[in-house]
């Protein structure tokens, strides 16, 4: 390949550091190494998405869905991988989940110039890196949307990024029409708390930018009636922050010895076993990759998600996935600011009573679930994304019609 001199230097740079990376432990099946040699270093596109593509979780799912939705609408897309890693041998490593869009991707240090109508920058920790600062002058957008898709605080109390510093960084960038958008009301409230008492100007946009899902990827198949036993569960990576820390509360939310309820977990339960001393005999625990998320959701009657109270959950894609699949969702009360009427809120000890109430009125439950799916599509799926991009729309609060709100409130009151 006949490359310019500066590009040949980058190839040599990547080869040397890739060799170092292989000595340090290779890549594995879940990691891809971007080959930037064939990627145009200068390009003109409609939408440029800048994010850290290292991890396979919710950010990857959102980035993929956004890119494919934009392209399906006739827009051209570039994805810039801006690593948060300081080691150069990691700069080209991306999650294998990005395989469908590899042809649109380029590593940040390879970019020469990208002109675009809109740049979407997601991942606040990445926004604060030197790698991003070096990238900024090379991107020429007509407008910029910065999405804060995670909390500034980790479960152990450590800092992931600083809200005052992030507001300053966005305010100081020489890009036109900048918006700093939280991904949910919970993140908006956190920003306000962390800015309180400082002299930093709040530049947060009035609209949220929640994750986007592909509604076609989830089959709406609510159960006409609950099974006997009723199957409950949730899917998430096996991390301590995804589980309640009190053994009694954990077993109240996910009962182990109730013959009327069966617990089925996707993603592992090692962290829960550390809390309980074992995985309860009445739980069925499945690894990711068994049959896929849709097949798993088809087996559930109720989606129950009670993470650690110390976990600062920015949004929770799995909740919307359950809505799209036709499952009633049970959550702790702190999630009501984000999901509104799309879920039922209770304490762990109220889970069994709420499940029993839901099983008493099949007609009411099915009508409610159908409305929840329609509302989730309107707020969080690809049609909403395109309206946000084209018309500058905000995302409304998840409110159902008054009769359905009254039905839902009645179920929670009797739990």
């Amino acid at each position: 390949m006949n490359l310019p001199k500066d590009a040949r230097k980058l190839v040599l740079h990547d080869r040397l550091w890739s060799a170092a990376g292989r000595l340090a432990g290779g890549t594995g099946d879940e990691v891809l190494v971007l080959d930037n040699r064939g990627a145009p270093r200068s390009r003109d596109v409609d939408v440029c998405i800048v994010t850290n593509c290292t991890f396979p979780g919710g950010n990857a799912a959102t980035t993929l869905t956004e890119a494919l939705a934009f392209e399906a609408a006739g827009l051209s897309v570039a994805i810039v991988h801006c690593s948060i890693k300081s080691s150069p041998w990691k700069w080209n490593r991306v999650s294998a989940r990005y395989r469908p869009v590899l042809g649109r991707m380029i590593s940040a240090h390879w970019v020469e110039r990208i002109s675009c109508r809109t740049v979407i920058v997601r991942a606040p920790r990445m926004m604060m890196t030197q790698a991003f600062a070096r990238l900024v002058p090379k991107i020429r957008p007509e407008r910029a949307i910065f999405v804060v898709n995670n909390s500034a605080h980790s479960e152990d109390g450590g800092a992931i990024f600083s809200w005052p510093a992030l507001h300053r960084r966005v305010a100081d960038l020489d890009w036109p029409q900048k918006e700093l958008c939280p991904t949910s009301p919970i993140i908006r409230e956190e920003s306000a708390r962390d800015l309180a008492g400082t002299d930093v100007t709040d530049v947060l946009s009035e609209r949220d930018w929640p994750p986007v899902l592909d509604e076609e990827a989830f089959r709406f198949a609510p159960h006409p009636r609950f099974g006997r036993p009723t199957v409950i569960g949730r899917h998430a990576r096996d991390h301590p922050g995804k589980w309640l820390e009190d053994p009694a509360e954990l077993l109240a939310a996910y009962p182990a010895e109730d013959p009327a309820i069966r617990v089925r977990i996707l993603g592992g339960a090692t962290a829960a076993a550390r809390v309980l001393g074992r995985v309860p005999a009445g739980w069925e625990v499945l690894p990711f990759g068994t049959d896929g998320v849709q097949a798993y959701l088809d087996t559930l009657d109720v989606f129950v998600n009670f993470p650690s109270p110390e976990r600062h959950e920015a949004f929770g894609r799995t909740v919307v996935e359950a809505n799209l699949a036709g499952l009633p969702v049970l959550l702790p009360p702190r999630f009501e600011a984000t999901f509104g009427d799309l879920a039922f809120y209770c304490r762990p000890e109220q889970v069994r009573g709420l499940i029993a109430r839901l099983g008493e009125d099949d007609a009411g439950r099915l009508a409610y679930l159908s409305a929840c799916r329609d509302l989730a599509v309107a707020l969080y799926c690809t049609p909403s994304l395109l309206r946000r991009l084209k018309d500058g729309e905000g995302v409304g609060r998840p409110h159902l019609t008054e009769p359905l709100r009254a039905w839902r409130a009645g179920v929670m009151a009797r739990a």
Side-chain angles (χ1 to χ4, degrees):
M1 184 180 297
N2 188 16
L3 295 171
K5 184 177 180 180
D6 59 340
R8 291 200 298 271
K9 289 181 179 179
L10 286 172
V11 170
L12 180 59
H13 169 280
D14 287 354
R15 283 178 176 172
L16 289 173
W17 283 109
S18 292
R22 286 192 293 272
L23 291 174
T27 56
D29 294 337
E30 297 182 354
V31 179
L32 301 173
V33 178
L34 287 180
D35 183 354
N36 294 288
R37 289 173 299 174
R41 300 181 62 201
S42 296
R43 56 183 85 180
D44 297 278
V45 295
D46 294 308
V47 182
C48 175
I49 302 173
V50 180
T51 192
N52 172 30
C53 302
T54 305
F55 304 110
N59 181 54
T62 295
T63 301
L64 280 168
T65 305
E66 284 185 346
L68 296 174
F70 290 144
E71 289 193 337
L75 304 175
S76 54
V77 177
I79 302 173
V80 179
H81 166 51
C82 187
S83 176
I84 62 173
K85 303 295 185 181
S86 58
S87 302
W89 60 270
K90 296 180 180 178
W91 289 354
N92 294 325
R93 291 188 171 195
V94 301
S95 166
R97 196 165 185 177
Y98 287 94
R99 194 182 301 277
V101 294
L102 281 180
R104 295 80 150 175
M105 298 182 72
I106 185 171
S107 298
H109 65 287
W110 269 77
V111 172
E112 190 171 83
R113 177 197 58 79
I114 295 180
S115 296
C116 58
R117 294 170 61 187
T118 303
V119 60
I120 299 173
V121 184
R122 186 168 37 248
R125 183 180 173 191
M126 179 213 69
M127 297 175 199
M128 304 305 300
T129 64
Q130 287 299 311
F132 180 68
R134 290 191 295 268
L135 176 66
V136 166
K138 302 175 183 179
I139 298 181
R140 304 169 189 174
E142 295 178 14
R143 64 170 175 167
I145 299 168
F146 298 84
V147 181
V148 183
N149 62 328
N150 60 264
S151 169
H153 311 288
S154 63
E155 287 94 345
D156 61 9
I160 298 173
F161 67 92
S162 159
W163 272 109
L166 180 64
H167 280 264
R168 289 193 193 99
R169 167 62 62 92
V170 172
D172 291 344
L173 289 179
D174 188 22
W175 280 350
Q177 296 188 44
K178 295 172 294 189
E179 274 192 282
L180 179 61
C181 299
T183 198
S184 70
I186 288 176
I187 297 301
R188 181 179 296 278
E189 292 168 6
E190 180 184 278
S191 173
R193 286 196 306 270
D194 284 16
L195 287 186
T198 73
D199 60 356
V200 177
T201 302
D202 188 339
V203 297
L204 213 60
S205 172
E206 293 183 356
R207 64 172 178 163
D208 296 347
W209 194 279
V212 62
L213 291 84
D214 177 9
E215 65 271 25
E216 299 299 328
F218 295 92
R219 181 175 57 258
F220 181 68
H223 293 183
R225 60 192 61 82
F226 284 171
R228 296 188 180 184
T230 301
V231 181
I232 72 170
R234 40 124 266 194
H235 63 95
R237 60 192 174 94
D238 191 10
H239 183 277
K242 298 291 188 178
W243 296 96
L244 291 166
E245 299 162 351
D246 180 272
E249 289 187 342
L250 181 53
L251 288 175
Y254 303 99
E257 298 179 357
D258 187 335
I261 295 176
R262 182 178 183 184
V263 175
R264 180 173 292 140
I265 301 296
L266 178 63
T270 301
R274 294 193 188 103
V275 174
L276 300 173
R278 71 193 194 290
V279 174
W283 287 15
E284 180 183 4
V285 181
L286 307 170
F288 276 127
T290 308
D291 289 310
V293 171
Q294 175 67 67
Y296 166 72
L297 293 176
D298 284 344
T299 71
L300 300 184
D301 294 301
V302 183
F303 190 86
V304 179
N305 186 27
F306 277 74
S308 165
E310 300 303 317
R311 180 167 181 80
H312 303 275
E313 194 81 54
F315 185 77
R317 290 177 58 92
T318 58
V319 172
V320 181
E321 291 174 357
N323 291 146
L324 296 175
L327 292 173
V329 176
L330 273 56
L331 298 173
R334 68 181 187 273
F335 285 92
E336 188 165 9
T338 298
F339 294 110
D341 295 342
L342 293 176
F344 299 87
Y345 305 97
C346 65
R347 298 186 302 274
E349 64 271 21
Q350 296 174 307
V351 165
R352 277 185 275 195
L354 190 47
I355 292 171
R357 300 292 84 74
L358 284 168
E360 291 174 354
D361 182 1
D362 293 330
R365 174 176 54 85
L366 293 173
Y368 167 79
L369 294 176
S370 179
C372 282
R373 183 191 185 279
D374 291 343
L375 183 57
V377 169
L379 296 179
Y380 307 123
C381 292
T382 50
S384 166
L385 172 69
L386 299 175
R387 291 194 300 270
R388 287 184 237 165
L389 186 74
K390 181 181 177 183
D391 303 325
E393 275 194 13
V395 175
R397 296 285 291 119
H399 289 324
L400 296 170
T401 62
E402 286 306 319
L404 288 171
R405 297 187 78 186
W407 179 86
R408 170 181 163 274
V411 171
M412 288 193 292
R414 294 185 294 118

